[in-house]
């Protein structure tokens, strides 16, 4: 049974691992590790937002605009 890494799972993975790194950094007083964790969490959140924008653009009815840019002919 093979697991497929989806974009949703990838962003969730970044957020969870990032949180673990952040907490680890706080517990060990390692500011660099804490910052790495926060950055990885931000990466996961950014992936989520990018996926939402992509979905919104795909769902949008572009109407006549497609003809102007060469689609839908």
């Amino acid at each position: 049974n093979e697991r497929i890494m989806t974009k949703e799972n990838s962003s969730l993975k970044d957020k969870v691992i990032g949180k673990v790194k952040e907490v680890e950094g706080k517990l060990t007083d390692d500011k660099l590790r804490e910052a790495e964790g926060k950055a990885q969490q931000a990466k996961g959140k950014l992936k989520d937002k990018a996926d939402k924008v992509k979905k919104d653009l795909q769902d949008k009815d572009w109407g006549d605009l497609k003809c102007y840019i060469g689609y839908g002919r």
Side-chain angles (χ1 to χ4, degrees), residues 8-54:
E8 183 177 308
N9 289 340
S10 175
S11 65
L12 178 61
K13 179 181 171 186
D14 281 328
K15 289 186 280 187
V16 170
I17 291 175
K19 188 65 175 179
V20 170
K21 287 179 181 179
E22 179 187 359
V23 171
E24 178 187 24
K26 286 180 180 181
L27 291 173
T28 60
D29 200 30
D30 184 344
K31 299 296 182 195
L32 179 58
R33 187 68 168 175
E34 187 178 341
E36 287 173 354
K38 288 180 180 181
Q40 191 163 358
Q41 288 177 76
K43 178 182 171 184
K45 290 175 185 176
L46 184 60
K47 285 181 183 179
D48 283 341
K49 289 182 189 236
D51 288 341
K52 183 183 180 322
V53 168
K54 182 179 177 183

